Amino acid sequence: MQFMLLFSRQGKLRLQKWYVPLSDKEKKKITRELVQTVLARKPKMCSFLEWRDLKIVYKRYASLYFCCAIEDQDNELITLEIIHRYVELLDKYFGSVCELDIIFNFEKAYFILDEFLLGGEAQETSKKNVLKAIEQADLLQEDAKEAETPRSVLEEIGLT
Amino acid sequence: LQINPLTMRLQEMIRVIRSARTQGEERGIIQRECADIRSQFRQGDNGERSHSLAKLLYVHMLGYPAHFGQMECVRLIASPRYSEKRIGYLGAMMLLDEKQDASLLITNSIKNDLSHSSQYVQSLALCTLACMGSAEMCRDLAPEIERLLRASHSYIKKKATLCAVHIIRKVPELAELFTPSARTLLSEKNHGVLHGAVVLITELCERNPDTLVQFRKAVPELVQIMKGLVTSSYSPEHNVAGISDPFLQVRILRLLRILGHNNDTASDAMNDLLAQVATNTDSSKTAGSAVLYETVLTIMDINSESGLRVLAVNILGRFLLNNDRNIRYISMTSLQKIVQTDHNAVQRHRGTIVDCLKDQDTSVKRRALELSLALVSAVNIRSMMKELLIFLSVCPPELRSQTASGIFNAAERYSPSKRWHIDTILHVLTTAGGDVRDETVPNLIQLITTASELHCYTVHKLYRALIKDIAQQSLVQVACWCIGEYGDLLLKGECEEIEPVQVTEDDILDALETVLQSHMSSPATRGFALTATMKLSTRITDNVDRIRSIVSIYGSCIDLELQQRAVEYNALFKKYDHMRAAVLERMPVMDKNSPGHTNGDTSGEIKEPDTSKPKPVEAGLLSEPASQKHCCVYVHVVPTVSVYEKNGLSLKIQCDKQTETEVTVTLIASNSTQNDITNFTLQAAVPKVCTHSVFKLGSVFAHTNSRYSFQQPY
């Protein structure tokens, strides 16, 4: 996979994961043009299109478009499954995920994606394992924070 | 989800930004927040840095500059706190790419974190390296990755494997480093590791043919793994719509494809498995279809048995009938790949493919068009052309040009008759004349000249089309040319192949004048019309004066091209009237490669060659090549010219045929006196321009009533 974009029906970017090195300017240009192209498509059209020299696979879930650019030899249908798996992971994590969850917790959306895909390829094909790893990492984050929070002397000796 | 007071501040900022009613208001808020973030960064370690960076990353996603956060990412990555590392690495992946100098600064942190005691910290480092690691970073850290590949447990191993894939993509020479470990990874039970291993081996084999040979030995092992997945009992952990780990299955099939390609032994070893997968996979959901799709691609790309190939094509045929448009699209993409090699098998599905021309989705239509064109053959040309012409009249504008070209190519190759060919081209010009390539006009003209038995039919058809509508320029141009050439056939009032028209000379001249005067006509089209009008001066008898006046009027036309023609034609009437008949004579059959036919390659622009304007005759057998500067190539028509008339002896030179490199002429000598002419000697001379030409003498025919014989020259 070369990149994945999540954007709303109004064309607002909610997540962008790039697996190829491009300048900020190029990324913006690609994003702008591709978003326009995908938003112009009608509901019943197929999920695949050829754009520039890339294969694009996209799917709409409620108000969000999930859009991936894949290589020539990549399987379009399995990419649809990858997108679906990511949505399932988000759904399980946030509990009935909606766009607002991804807006207000965007860094979490990235963390989840980074436990599912690595360098543009699927690293874990078991839903359970991805969610377990995220859970553990979150705990580690909380533990670390707790360890850092300065406690009063009374707290230290357990009197409050 | 634990809500932390500091997280609230991030979410609060997001809320505030979203509440902005205008772009300007948003920009103001962002500016304030960025100033705040900057000061936070300056304060150093205060427990708030990770939240400030998170805010900055949000701002960055909205499209605002965030480069001042790059160094903060570097600092946070180096922090001992997991929460700070986590956001620091995320920041690095979003703000630093290999082109930034700052990215090198994190190499050391990554190196340290790769050996961290916590696997979640190791994970962050691996993920970041695999996402944005530059070639230099990859070179630096490759040995670490290789170690992790071998030693760690599956959580890290699967990530290290994919990291190795990234490294190889960046630094291909490092492939050697990972090749030994890659093979052993295949015996792992963990699906994540297995998946990564297959991806890694695929990458290694694609880059190095020797490695590929080595890994062919792994085919039996891969087949076993696949068999396990396909026949295994329900495993909830990896099940997707009844398929066990479709992600892994697809990657294994892809690897098998590479290993089996062009190799009988490997192909044989996987034959049974492929048949099994092809037959048993449930394709009612996408997951199953994805596996079937990859299976078909593999079957078609290795040395499979013919039975297996037929099975694969049938799967594609079934896909064509699937309700899911995505599946239909995929099917046609695959059929396109094999239409040359497995032509007959694909032909069986021609009907369904042609039906897909009617699909709502333009991408599907495009696929169906390409496939349909590839399936046209001498056997089905008539029925296919019917469908294609219907498609041309209703297809979306972006496909018209491709359709028109495709139709022309098909007609060129498989026309059952010349008349059908001409009709087809005319049909396309009527429907989509604006979308055809420029060479269509001279191509059609050339075709028409070769079909001499159809001249009457053709000019009738074109005349009728012309009086109906003069908007389609290419059609009008061809029509004008034909009328100019064969107008006399229109006036005859009789025709075998088609109902003749009853027209007068004025009617025909009216039609041409309408084209000349219409604002719809392009300058090129008007040129055609003017020349056609001029040519008619030798084909009609009553109205030559009308032509004279038209030509004279256009002598002062603003359009330079038209003016020039008109002036020359005027001259033809006035000073060179004796040559007019010869100059405007019927064109000889044009060879496809003759100069007037093709567009000049010498100049970059493509414009129509001007086949309508004959160059005025000059002395000498060969006329000079026209200047290419104007991108128009003139036909060097050498008409029949009378070169000697004296004392009853007349000599005529008639051009029979000309190509780019040679001219064939006939010298016709006739004796109109009562007496014999003796000592008739023919000497041929060529101008200095042609010193390198070869002069060949053909046969001599004598028609004589004389007692004396005609001696054959040597």
Side-chain angles (χ1 to χ4, degrees):
Chain A
M1 192 183 295
Q2 292 208 7
F3 57 83
M4 182 189 286
L5 303 173
L6 263 68
F7 50 90
S8 69
R9 303 249 309 120
Q10 288 75 41
K12 286 241 141 99
L13 205 56
R14 299 302 178 205
L15 185 145
Q16 47 171 334
K17 188 76 189 179
W18 298 85
Y19 295 108
V20 288
L22 290 165
S23 70
D24 245 4
K25 197 164 141 191
E26 287 167 305
K27 286 180 191 168
K28 283 210 171 105
K29 182 158 191 260
I30 290 174
T31 305
R32 194 175 49 238
E33 288 177 15
L34 186 53
V35 167
Q36 229 174 20
T37 308
V38 172
L39 287 177
R41 286 173 77 79
K42 305 202 222 352
K44 286 243 167 80
M45 286 179 135
C46 82
S47 297
F48 313 130
L49 59 117
E50 273 138 29
W51 183 81
R52 298 193 182 185
D53 57 345
L54 292 169
K55 293 208 288 196
I56 305 290
V57 178
Y58 75 93
K59 192 155 174 176
R60 190 179 144 193
Y61 288 84
S63 61
L64 267 182
Y65 284 88
F66 288 69
C67 182
C68 299
I70 59 176
E71 316 272 10
D72 214 38
Q73 324 90 292
D74 289 330
N75 183 321
E76 291 95 324
L77 292 172
I78 209 71
T79 308
L80 276 178
E81 285 299 311
I82 287 188
I83 291 176
H84 191 72
R85 174 57 62 88
Y86 182 44
V87 172
E88 284 180 318
L89 291 167
L90 290 168
D91 196 52
K92 208 59 198 275
Y93 183 83
F94 287 106
S96 223
V97 68
C98 64
E99 190 184 344
L100 282 176
D101 290 319
I102 298 179
I103 293 170
F104 283 95
N105 301 282
F106 70 95
E107 81 278 16
K108 294 274 176 14
Y110 277 101
F111 295 150
I112 294 169
L113 186 62
D114 285 343
E115 273 303 326
F116 176 40
L117 304 179
L118 200 99
E121 306 278 352
Q123 62 177 287
E124 180 56 67
T125 57
S126 151
K127 219 189 309 186
K128 187 178 82 179
N129 288 352
V130 176
L131 291 166
K132 207 162 46 171
I134 291 284
E135 203 184 325
Q136 294 298 319
D138 279 349
L139 276 175
L140 190 60
Q141 184 165 333
E142 288 314 309
D143 286 346
K145 284 221 187 74
E146 229 176 68
E148 288 298 315
T149 312
R151 295 153 124 211
S152 70
V153 174
L154 289 174
E155 274 182 328
E156 286 261 0
I157 55 176
L159 282 181
T160 51
Chain B
L1 250 198
Q2 303 225 18
I3 303 298
N4 182 304
L6 295 174
T7 313
M8 276 307 290
R9 252 192 257 146
L10 163 65
Q11 297 186 336
E12 191 54 39
M13 179 197 82
I14 296 175
R15 213 184 313 272
V16 170
I17 292 173
R18 281 168 61 76
S19 65
R21 279 157 301 169
T22 66
Q23 184 77 352
E25 200 179 323
E26 182 182 281
R27 242 177 286 134
I29 297 169
I30 303 282
Q31 255 173 341
R32 256 196 352 258
E33 289 295 334
C34 282
D36 191 36
I37 292 168
R38 258 189 253 250
S39 77
Q40 287 288 342
F41 286 168
R42 275 195 293 270
Q43 278 182 39
D45 186 3
N46 57 2
E48 307 234 341
R49 289 191 301 164
S50 50
H51 293 282
S52 301
L53 183 59
K55 282 192 203 170
L56 184 60
L57 294 180
Y58 182 81
V59 162
H60 174 252
M61 190 153 58
L62 291 178
Y64 294 92
H67 42 265
F68 62 89
Q70 288 176 3
M71 282 314 293
E72 195 61 20
C73 296
V74 177
R75 268 179 242 126
L76 285 174
I77 286 172
S79 156
R81 298 186 194 121
Y82 179 71
S83 54
E84 292 188 338
K85 275 194 198 292
R86 210 182 188 193
I87 200 80
Y89 273 116
L90 180 62
M93 287 188 275
M94 287 174 75
L95 302 180
L96 298 174
D97 57 57
E98 61 178 45
K99 299 191 179 140
Q100 315 285 351
D101 292 329
S103 64
L104 279 175
L105 297 173
I106 62 173
T107 312
N108 216 44
S109 294
I110 294 181
K111 192 179 207 154
N112 291 335
D113 286 339
L114 284 174
S115 347
H116 200 275
S117 51
S118 162
Q119 64 180 5
Y120 298 105
V121 173
Q122 287 177 296
S123 166
L124 292 174
L126 286 163
C127 183
T128 307
L129 182 61
C131 180
M132 47 73 77
S134 65
E136 211 177 314
M137 286 162 73
C138 287
R139 252 186 275 265
D140 229 343
L141 299 165
E144 275 306 296
I145 303 301
E146 204 277 327
R147 190 181 56 81
L148 288 171
L149 247 176
R150 283 180 292 113
S152 57
H153 68 84
S154 51
Y155 180 72
I156 294 300
K157 211 179 270 198
K158 73 188 185 194
K159 294 173 193 259
T161 312
L162 288 176
C163 213
V165 174
H166 175 85
I167 291 175
I168 293 167
R169 286 176 183 161
K170 283 287 174 195
V171 190
E173 308 91 72
L174 287 172
E176 284 178 350
L177 181 62
F178 298 105
T179 310
S181 334
R183 180 63 197 269
T184 35
L185 286 169
L186 275 184
S187 31
E188 293 276 335
K189 293 284 166 257
N190 179 289
H191 280 222
V193 179
L194 213 45
H195 185 274
V198 174
V199 175
L200 176 59
I201 295 171
T202 305
E203 194 72 32
L204 291 169
C205 291
E206 277 174 345
R207 288 176 183 273
N208 189 324
D210 293 328
T211 315
L212 198 156
V213 170
Q214 215 183 316
F215 275 104
R216 276 215 185 99
K217 299 192 203 107
V219 167
E221 207 173 335
L222 289 163
V223 167
Q224 272 309 107
I225 298 172
M226 265 304 280
K227 273 215 171 89
L229 291 170
V230 171
T231 59
S232 70
S233 49
Y234 181 78
S235 149
E237 194 176 343
H238 295 113
N239 184 280
V240 181
I243 311 289
S244 182
D245 205 338
F247 306 105
L248 181 57
Q249 288 198 30
V250 163
R251 289 314 301 239
I252 293 178
L253 287 164
R254 188 165 143 184
L255 177 56
L256 285 174
R257 178 155 80 244
I258 297 169
L259 296 175
H261 180 73
N262 263 340
N263 186 287
D264 282 333
T265 322
S267 300
D268 283 341
M270 55 181 86
N271 197 79
D272 286 345
L273 167 74
L274 294 172
Q276 191 180 2
V277 178
T279 325
N280 294 338
T281 305
D282 172 19
S283 59
S284 52
K285 293 281 165 68
T286 310
S289 300
V291 172
L292 264 184
Y293 173 42
E294 198 76 32
T295 309
V296 166
L297 290 178
T298 300
I299 292 174
M300 300 316 288
D301 208 33
I302 63 170
N303 302 352
S304 20
E305 290 174 3
S306 59
L308 197 54
R309 286 184 91 86
V310 169
L311 181 58
V313 178
N314 287 346
I315 291 175
L316 293 179
R318 248 183 23 235
F319 275 0
L320 272 180
L321 300 165
N322 196 303
N323 282 331
D324 187 340
R325 185 173 274 121
N326 291 333
I327 308 281
R328 294 205 298 272
Y329 179 88
I330 288 298
S331 165
M332 284 196 279
T333 314
S334 316
L335 286 168
Q336 187 74 40
K337 292 194 183 120
I338 61 172
V339 71
Q340 304 300 337
T341 52
D342 296 78
H343 192 90
N344 291 333
V346 181
Q347 277 283 5
R348 262 176 246 137
H349 302 282
R350 196 177 73 243
T352 323
I353 292 169
V354 167
D355 279 342
C356 288
L357 285 170
K358 303 187 187 95
D359 197 297
Q360 303 279 10
D361 185 338
T362 307
S363 327
V364 174
K365 273 205 238 269
R366 177 175 281 126
R367 288 265 165 273
L369 172 66
E370 284 164 2
L371 258 179
S372 300
L373 289 172
L375 289 174
V376 175
S377 71
V379 172
N380 61 35
I381 179 74
R382 284 187 197 267
S383 56
M384 283 301 276
M385 194 54 82
K386 267 207 197 82
E387 298 287 351
L388 289 168
L389 287 171
I390 293 173
F391 180 67
L392 183 64
S393 56
V394 299
C395 75
E398 58 265 33
L399 290 179
R400 289 170 85 169
S401 173
Q402 196 181 349
T403 310
S405 297
I407 289 176
F408 287 155
N409 286 336
E412 179 101 14
R413 292 172 69 184
Y414 302 113
S415 282
S417 74
K418 280 226 165 95
R419 179 172 152 166
W420 185 95
H421 193 174
I422 291 174
D423 282 344
T424 303
I425 299 183
L426 290 182
H427 192 136
V428 173
L429 289 182
T430 318
T431 323
D435 295 291
V436 300
R437 294 216 297 271
D438 290 337
E439 55 262 35
T440 310
V441 170
N443 280 349
L444 179 54
I445 289 175
Q446 191 267 339
L447 178 63
I448 291 173
T449 59
T450 62
S452 37
E453 69 283 8
L454 289 169
H455 286 170
C456 191
Y457 168 80
T458 311
V459 72
H460 271 83
K461 255 203 120 144
L462 282 164
Y463 176 75
R464 287 205 171 95
L466 189 68
I467 53 178
K468 203 159 150 194
D469 172 32
I470 58 169
Q472 292 282 24
Q473 297 305 295
S474 33
L475 188 59
V476 171
Q477 287 170 10
V478 179
C480 288
W481 188 90
C482 265
I483 293 172
E485 270 298 291
Y486 312 121
D488 47 316
L489 298 175
L490 275 177
L491 291 166
K492 268 214 189 102
E494 56 188 39
C495 185
E496 267 178 23
E497 305 253 353
I498 195 177
E499 169 127 2
V501 289
Q502 304 299 334
V503 289
T504 63
E505 293 180 2
D506 268 321
D507 292 330
I508 302 181
L509 289 172
D510 282 343
L512 290 175
E513 244 192 310
T514 312
V515 174
L516 259 175
Q517 292 165 355
S518 167
H519 61 279
M520 283 194 283
S521 301
S522 72
T525 305
R526 295 169 84 199
F528 271 87
L530 187 62
T531 303
T533 307
M534 184 62 190
K535 280 187 189 169
L536 283 174
S537 70
T538 56
R539 287 153 176 81
I540 62 174
T541 44
D542 302 331
N543 258 324
V544 185
D545 279 338
R546 182 174 168 184
I547 296 179
R548 252 186 262 267
S549 69
I550 292 175
V551 159
S552 140
I553 290 171
Y554 277 87
S556 38
C557 175
I558 282 184
D559 185 289
L560 214 55
E561 174 71 27
L562 235 46
Q563 194 195 105
Q564 185 185 346
R565 286 179 195 226
V567 164
E568 288 180 7
Y569 295 158
N570 248 325
L572 209 50
F573 267 127
K574 302 226 162 80
K575 285 206 298 196
Y576 301 100
D577 203 40
H578 58 282
M579 279 173 36
R580 183 163 52 90
V583 170
L584 301 175
E585 196 177 68
R586 275 266 202 281
M587 293 279 202
V589 173
M590 279 181 255
D591 253 355
K592 259 225 139 162
N593 294 317
S594 62
H597 180 79
T598 53
N599 292 309
D601 270 11
T602 49
S603 21
E605 250 192 297
I606 297 177
K607 263 220 188 130
E608 294 141 22
D610 196 355
T611 56
S612 62
K613 180 182 171 185
K615 201 173 153 97
V617 176
E618 296 173 48
L621 284 172
L622 303 168
S623 42
E624 268 164 31
S627 141
Q628 301 281 341
K629 271 192 277 176
H630 299 290
C631 310
C632 273
V633 179
Y634 292 101
V635 175
H636 320 304
V637 175
V638 180
T640 306
V641 180
S642 177
V643 293
Y644 185 93
E645 280 282 355
K646 215 162 148 181
N647 300 328
L649 172 66
S650 80
L651 298 172
K652 278 210 215 3
I653 294 181
Q654 175 188 291
C655 172
D656 292 329
K657 183 177 158 180
Q658 67 168 81
T659 65
E660 219 159 33
T661 49
E662 63 183 48
V663 176
T664 308
V665 297
T666 302
L667 174 73
I668 304 170
S670 47
N671 175 5
S672 57
T673 66
Q674 296 279 28
N675 308 314
D676 293 335
I677 293 178
T678 55
N679 296 324
F680 179 81
T681 321
L682 170 66
Q683 284 179 327
V686 292
K688 276 219 182 93
V689 184
C690 319
T691 36
H692 294 290
S693 35
V694 176
F695 188 76
K696 270 196 267 205
L697 191 63
S699 348
V700 178
F701 294 99
H703 295 279
T704 172
N705 294 325
S706 161
R707 296 175 283 136
Y708 299 105
S709 62
F710 198 93
Q711 258 188 330
Q712 190 84 319
Y714 52 89

